[in-house]
Amino acid sequence: TTLYGVVRHPTALAEGPFPLVLALHGNHGNCRSPSDPTDDFCSTSEDHECALPGQLTAPNAEGYDYLLDTLAAQGYVTVSISGNAMNCREDYILERARLVIEHLRRWSDWQAGAGDLGGLFAGTLDLGRVGLVGHSRGGDAVSNVPQLLAETPIAGLQVVSVFAVAPTDFHDVVVRDTNLAVLLPSCDGDVSNLMGHRHYDRSVGSFDGVEQAQVLYVGANHNLDRKSVV
């Protein structure tokens, strides 16, 4: 698939290095009708862009702009990854996790001064403090990243925290040697069995030196619409 993401960063990059945070959305539609921008639908693709003629690309990665802006203002380089090409398919959790890892490899190159964005981000990132945030299948994916990354590590890069929001649980993941937080929404009409609690249950207490927490957010729905969780 194409590698597409939305980036926000502190304006004074020379004051870094700054921690890096990557976010990954869930399994939403990847196409949108020009006549009804509120109704997303699916088209299987190998691209970030919607493959149907005359239709718009659902801006799933852009949905986290408010979160990226908030974190960037507090001194983080933040990225919202598009998983559009992984959406509208059954499972594809591990493919999503590998997509996150490929983005991390690109950021490692840019930190080293290589590639298209090396001139902007060289020496500005603290890759020893990488955080991952994911929602739904994206939450399942980011929980799988530490174990997959351990099999093919990126020199100098360490994922130190995972925040899984309303995650699915397709592959019995255990989050190893990484700080973990799981958020479960009490009004989840999609993952209604709150299967994401298993991430925490399998991981808690198994590893020394990391923090592990789980929160049930009363009144929150699955899609984390800001108006409905306040």
Side-chain angles (χ1 to χ4, degrees):
T1 179
T2 50
L3 296 176
Y4 176 91
V6 178
V7 179
R8 298 288 187 271
H9 60 78
T11 54
L13 281 172
E15 296 180 5
F18 300 104
L20 177 67
V21 176
L22 272 61
L24 180 60
H25 60 78
N27 188 44
H28 312 289
N30 52 16
C31 291
R32 178 172 291 184
S33 170
S35 62
D36 186 1
T38 65
D39 186 20
D40 295 341
F41 58 93
C42 279
S43 173
T44 302
S45 173
E46 295 180 356
D47 198 334
H48 156 72
E49 302 289 343
C50 174
L52 297 178
Q55 304 302 309
L56 303 176
T57 299
N60 288 311
E62 287 79 0
Y64 290 135
D65 282 354
Y66 71 97
L67 176 61
L68 303 187
D69 290 343
T70 300
L71 291 175
Q74 298 182 44
Y76 296 84
V77 174
T78 59
V79 188
S80 178
I81 296 172
S82 172
N84 277 2
M86 308 299 176
N87 282 6
C88 305
R89 302 170 184 266
E90 189 59 35
D91 194 340
Y92 264 67
I93 300 301
L94 299 182
E95 288 82 357
R96 286 177 171 87
R98 293 185 179 101
L99 176 66
V100 173
I101 291 172
E102 184 58 31
H103 276 265
L104 290 173
R105 293 191 188 284
R106 301 303 174 101
W107 281 97
S108 177
D109 289 343
W110 297 334
Q111 162 70 4
D116 295 341
L117 295 181
L120 178 62
F121 289 105
T124 67
L125 304 173
D126 182 354
L127 294 184
R129 291 190 294 162
V130 174
L132 303 178
V133 181
H135 168 243
S136 194
R137 294 194 194 191
D140 200 348
V142 297
S143 286
N144 277 274
V145 166
Q147 186 169 342
L148 291 174
L149 193 58
E151 298 171 3
T152 55
I154 301 171
L157 187 145
Q158 179 68 38
V159 173
V160 297
S161 64
V162 168
F163 183 25
V165 180
T168 58
D169 184 52
F170 281 69
H171 296 277
D172 298 330
V173 65
V174 179
V175 182
R176 301 179 182 277
D177 302 318
T178 306
N179 298 302
L180 170 67
V182 177
L183 188 151
L184 303 176
S186 70
C187 297
D188 193 330
D190 191 346
V191 187
S192 57
N193 62 356
L194 303 183
M195 67 174 76
H197 75 85
R198 302 169 193 162
H199 295 217
Y200 176 82
D201 290 349
R202 283 191 295 263
S203 304
V204 67
S206 301
F207 311 102
D208 295 331
V210 297
E211 299 290 338
Q212 296 157 321
Q214 180 170 262
V215 176
L216 178 67
Y217 200 130
V218 176
N221 65 17
H222 181 75
N223 285 320
L224 207 66
D225 174 31
R226 285 175 287 164
K227 294 180 180 178
S228 65
V229 299
V230 177

